[in-house]
């Protein structure tokens, strides 16, 4: 079966309509949660680098990096859900790890999806009853949960917090 494809711009209010708002907007990133539903015109080259994470459809689990000045048009099946992350020019070097804990990534059960000099995209699945070793996040992180998830976080002093997430919840850490 051939999927119906449309041409769609990847960033900006022209794609989502004037009332559209990003899910996250801070000094590091602007994050949009988008389901492709219509054809739009060519808004021209983008003014920021962007990471597109495909959440559903034939490309689910893959990611794409779009450099600045690249034309924004590409073919995407109608109904595809994407996470679009605009990278702002507020780069922060990795934090120094003074904890002695290993870095958060790589770790068991993780797959590197995309890497360049600006981003690393990891795909990770938690396994019930299998704790993740204590670790240190040295970089900014945008997380999207693809299914309902309940995770218990443990601090170095042993305090535990249950965190419950719905499918497609998005967080910036």
């Amino acid at each position: 079966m051939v999927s119906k494809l449309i041409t769609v711009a990847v960033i900006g209010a022209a794609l989502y309509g004037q009332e559209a708002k990003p899910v996250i907007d801070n000094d590091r990133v602007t994050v949009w949660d988008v389901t492709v539903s219509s054809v739009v015109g060519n808004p021209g080259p983008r003014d920021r680098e962007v990471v597109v994470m495909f959440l559903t459809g034939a490309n689910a689990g893959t990611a794409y990096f779009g450099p600045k000045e690249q034309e924004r048009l590409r073919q995407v099946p109608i109904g595809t859900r994407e996470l679009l992350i605009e990278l702002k020019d507020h780069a922060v070097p990795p934090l120094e790890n003074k904890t002695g804990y290993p870095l958060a990534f790589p770790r068991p059960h993780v797959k590197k999806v995309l890497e360049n000099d600006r981003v690393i995209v990891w795909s990770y699945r938690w396994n019930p009853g299998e704790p993740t070793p204590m670790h240190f996040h040295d970089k900014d992180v945008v997380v999207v949960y693809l299914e309902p998830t309940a995770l218990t976080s443990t601090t170095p002093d042993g305090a535990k917090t249950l965190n419950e997430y719905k499918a497609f919840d998005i967080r910036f850490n």
Side-chain angles (χ1 to χ4, degrees), residues 74-90:
R74 58 193 170 80
Q75 297 295 312
V76 180
I78 289 176
T80 298
R81 190 167 183 178
E82 304 175 331
L83 197 64
L84 308 171
I85 305 168
E86 290 182 73
L87 304 176
K88 296 185 180 179
D89 292 329
H90 186 96

Side-chain angles (χ1 to χ4, degrees), residues 54-61 77 79-81:
F54 298 96
L55 305 180
T56 63
N59 293 323
T80 298
R81 190 167 183 178

Side-chain angles (χ1 to χ4, degrees), residues 23 120 133 170:
V23 227
I120 304 174
I170 301 163

Side-chain angles (χ1 to χ4, degrees), residues 45-50 65-71 87-89 118:
R46 68 174 63 87
D47 59 354
R48 291 188 177 136
E49 295 168 317
V50 64
F65 180 79
K68 269 186 191 182
E69 306 304 323
Q70 181 181 30
E71 289 293 321
L87 304 176
K88 296 185 180 179
D89 292 329
R118 285 278 295 191

Side-chain angles (χ1 to χ4, degrees), residues 97-104 133-137 154-157:
N97 182 358
K98 298 178 184 179
T99 67
Y101 296 120
L103 294 180
M134 188 72 69
H135 55 269
F136 179 80
H137 287 272
T154 306
T155 62
D157 65 3

